[in-house]
Amino acid sequence: MSLTASDLERIRSEITADRDNAWAAAANYQPIYVADAAARIAIVGQAPGRKAQESGIPWNDASGARLIDWLGVDETTFRASSRFALLPMDFYYPGKGPHGDLPSCQDFAARWQPADPPGDAPHSAGASGPGVTGEGIIEAD
């Protein structure tokens, strides 16, 4: 069973209203992700970076440019929500730590990642780390 557009809107509302995300609401942050019931590919990455949080656009940094290049698509195609669901391991930039960005919230995936990704999503890719490489990219049958 796939998520519908109304399911996705309900989930966005629940994320915004969640008391664990009150700090993000106080900072006027919006959850950073793209999901559409029609998406055929789901890309799951780490929490959004500072540039993504400031712009409201997932993967809006050098790692996003590398991912787009690696996927062999143009930016318009990559940003088409009907093609790609862009799901982070946390919806908000976690902040700066002493040695890079802070980690995502530990319980995020269990609470918010759908067991059934948006749309039909028969192919999924997971990207991780400071750069995007072929490692960590998984294509499902």
Side-chain angles (χ1 to χ4, degrees):
M1 179 174 109
S2 295
L3 295 172
T4 66
S6 63
D7 291 331
L8 295 171
E9 188 54 42
R10 178 186 47 78
I11 291 168
R12 180 175 287 276
S13 296
E14 290 173 4
I15 292 164
T16 304
D18 187 309
R19 71 171 190 249
D20 288 341
N21 295 329
W23 68 271
N28 206 26
Y29 284 172
Q30 293 299 311
I32 304 298
Y33 71 97
V34 172
D36 186 301
R40 302 273 304 151
I41 300 169
I43 298 178
V44 180
Q46 295 180 357
R50 180 186 51 80
K51 289 181 181 179
Q53 189 68 67
E54 289 172 355
S55 69
I57 302 169
W59 295 91
N60 190 27
D61 55 19
S63 67
R66 285 190 299 275
L67 176 60
I68 291 166
D69 183 59
W70 186 86
L71 290 169
V73 298
D74 61 29
E75 185 160 356
T76 301
T77 302
F78 180 73
R79 303 267 176 225
S81 62
S82 63
R83 293 188 177 227
F84 290 94
L86 306 176
L87 305 170
M89 290 309 299
D90 197 337
F91 293 116
Y92 303 101
Y93 173 59
K96 190 82 171 139
H99 302 289
D101 293 341
L102 294 170
S104 302
C105 295
Q106 289 186 357
D107 68 341
F108 172 83
R111 287 181 66 195
W112 294 110
Q113 290 293 349
D116 185 18
D120 296 325
H123 298 87
S124 297
S128 177
V132 178
T133 67
E135 300 166 16
I137 303 296
I138 301 167
E139 184 171 284
D141 293 334

